[in-house]
Amino acid sequence: MSAPSRPADWDPRASQVLADPIAAYDHMRRTCPVAHSDYLHHSVFRHADVMGIVLDHHTYGNAASRHLSVPNGMDPPEHTAWRRMIEPYFDGARVAAFAPACREIAAALVGALPQQAPVELMSALAHPFAVQVQCAFMGWPQALHQPLLQWVQARNAATLSADPRALAAVATGFDSTIRHLLQERRDAGNAAPDDITTALLRETIHGRPLAEEEIVSILRNWTVGELGSIASSVGIIAWYLAAHPALQSRLRRKPTLLRAANDEILRIHAPLTCNRRVPTRDVTLGGRHIAAGERLTLVWAAANRDEAVFGDPDECRLDRDPALNLLYGAGIHACPGAALARLELEAVIAALLAATASIEPAGSRPTPAVYPAGGHRQVELLLRPAAGS
């Protein structure tokens, strides 16, 4: 006989949650910090609980998916070996070497934006920038720009429809693209381009070459996360600056504050809503008994707005302790590409500020993206040209 289902504390897919997810997460953090639902199982909203979970990888495992996920869905010691192999691809030297190309892409895209007329920033800048910098970093050809943009559109449509068949088809299509890129490099042999994708084909783990499905998983994790979170972040930051002209002016006067400002804006409004963990033993969280193996959903978008840690969650302060910001996670599963993401966001927002005298809202507030995505689906802005441009 199956166990009776637990009563739901909330519905993550309710219309009022989807209409204003940040307000809904704030409400849950204050009233029901560990909440059950059929859709997300046990959602954890408080900063202390989330931080405690991500720092205790012995009690809370990351192997929460039935699909291969390298290294996100692995625990030590397997995770340790994969991270040791992956982290050099995002080290300081590689990120610094990529900076000029990244800034060139940002400047070219921003330079093509219409000024003195409303522009929908997600389609005109955020998504193209995410696609182009990802292709440039990975060594993928420009011919992939349009197919990847079409893939992003298809994924967004599938997410909006909540159709599992459409989502599965989108995932399969992306994996096929990656397999094609790998086969091209195998066929080229010594003439294959000297880039990250080729390097992965030559990597070993535990003394053996990587299997194709392992490389596909790595590139899927890097690319899907990059295309979604970078585009979302660009939209969130640009809209925030348009709605807060005093901060916009401050950053124009002192661009060295831009990186801290980006992190703080994305603390206030998260580009990535949540992540998963699975307890390896029975635990108690927020007064709730949770059995080993039950899924936990860590709601970054709520934890990063916890009044107990940040005071007024909507106050934008550039002097906060960066160790408290869960934007890029924490512990052994913290995002290995955080430095790259910060470079990319700094490059594109700096280019946007340099090319304009002001960035202003051009209509109503943006429509929220659909869970699990964060940020906005559309962002309408008016760009006033800088003097002499």
Side-chain angles (χ1 to χ4, degrees):
M1 181 182 295
S2 61
S5 60
R6 303 186 188 190
D9 298 303
W10 72 311
D11 181 2
R13 292 174 289 183
S15 58
Q16 64 269 29
V17 174
L18 298 178
D20 193 347
I22 296 297
Y25 303 151
D26 284 348
H27 174 74
M28 294 305 299
R29 184 183 63 250
R30 294 162 184 159
T31 61
C32 189
V34 178
H36 182 265
S37 68
D38 292 337
Y39 184 50
L40 296 181
H41 302 268
H42 301 282
S43 297
V44 184
F45 296 96
R46 287 190 302 207
H47 188 279
D49 292 334
V50 170
M51 185 67 86
I53 290 168
V54 299
L55 294 181
D56 184 0
H57 59 269
H58 298 292
T59 303
Y60 300 95
N62 220 46
S65 174
R66 64 181 182 275
H67 303 293
L68 177 66
S69 181
V70 182
N72 305 34
M74 295 175 168
D75 295 317
E78 191 70 4
H79 172 267
T80 307
W82 284 99
R83 279 293 290 239
R84 188 180 300 118
M85 187 206 80
I86 283 169
E87 285 177 352
Y89 286 93
F90 300 97
D91 65 16
R94 191 182 293 271
V95 171
F98 180 63
C102 181
R103 295 187 182 112
E104 184 178 342
I105 292 167
L109 285 170
V110 168
L113 294 175
Q115 298 197 357
Q116 300 284 38
V119 57
E120 199 290 291
L121 202 79
M122 298 305 295
S123 58
L125 177 63
H127 290 301
F129 176 73
V131 164
Q132 291 189 30
V133 293
Q134 177 67 6
C135 285
F137 185 73
M138 297 303 304
W140 296 347
Q142 293 185 8
L144 266 186
H145 291 176
Q146 194 57 37
L148 281 176
L149 281 172
Q150 293 170 348
W151 179 84
V152 168
Q153 293 168 355
R155 184 193 60 178
N156 291 346
T159 301
L160 189 61
S161 71
D163 182 349
R165 291 173 298 180
L167 288 166
V170 168
T172 300
F174 179 83
D175 285 3
S176 296
T177 298
I178 298 300
R179 293 180 193 279
H180 179 70
L181 287 167
L182 296 177
Q183 190 58 50
E184 283 185 335
R185 282 160 168 74
R186 290 192 189 96
D187 292 343
N190 292 334
D194 183 18
D195 59 28
I196 288 176
T197 308
T198 300
L200 285 172
L201 280 168
R202 298 168 180 165
E203 283 284 2
T204 60
I205 189 81
H206 306 313
R208 61 165 177 83
L210 273 59
E212 178 165 300
E213 59 267 27
E214 293 168 337
I215 301 175
V216 169
S217 177
I218 291 170
L219 294 176
R220 183 195 309 120
N221 283 333
W222 289 359
T223 303
V224 172
E226 178 83 358
L227 297 183
S229 61
I230 291 297
S232 293
S233 297
V234 172
I236 291 166
I237 295 167
W239 174 259
Y240 191 93
L241 294 179
H244 296 82
L247 177 60
Q248 187 182 146
S249 296
R250 185 183 180 192
L251 295 177
R252 291 180 190 280
R253 294 192 307 270
K254 196 168 184 181
T256 55
L257 295 175
L258 190 52
R259 186 164 295 196
N262 288 344
D263 278 10
E264 175 68 351
I265 292 167
L266 298 176
R267 178 198 64 78
I268 294 169
H269 192 148
L272 180 64
T273 301
C274 65
N275 199 251
R276 295 181 294 179
R277 294 292 190 276
V278 174
T280 58
R281 58 176 175 80
D282 291 4
V283 297
T284 300
L285 283 171
R288 300 289 181 93
H289 175 79
I290 299 170
E294 292 193 77
R295 198 175 89 184
L296 298 173
T297 302
L298 313 184
V299 187
W300 309 120
N304 254 356
R305 293 174 51 83
D306 194 331
E307 298 87 347
V309 176
F310 302 104
D312 178 358
D314 289 306
E315 181 185 8
C316 184
R317 286 180 43 191
L318 306 189
D319 61 347
R320 295 189 189 276
D321 180 356
L324 297 174
N325 192 336
L326 287 161
L327 172 61
Y328 295 104
I332 65 169
H333 292 286
C335 177
L340 176 64
R342 287 187 169 105
L343 163 71
E344 292 170 351
L345 294 177
E346 188 174 15
V348 70
I349 300 302
L352 196 57
L353 291 172
T356 58
S358 68
I359 305 166
E360 304 168 14
S364 58
R365 292 181 62 84
T367 303
V370 176
Y371 180 92
H376 316 298
R377 272 185 281 165
Q378 291 186 315
V379 176
E380 297 281 346
L381 296 177
L382 183 64
L383 308 179
R384 304 286 187 188
S389 64

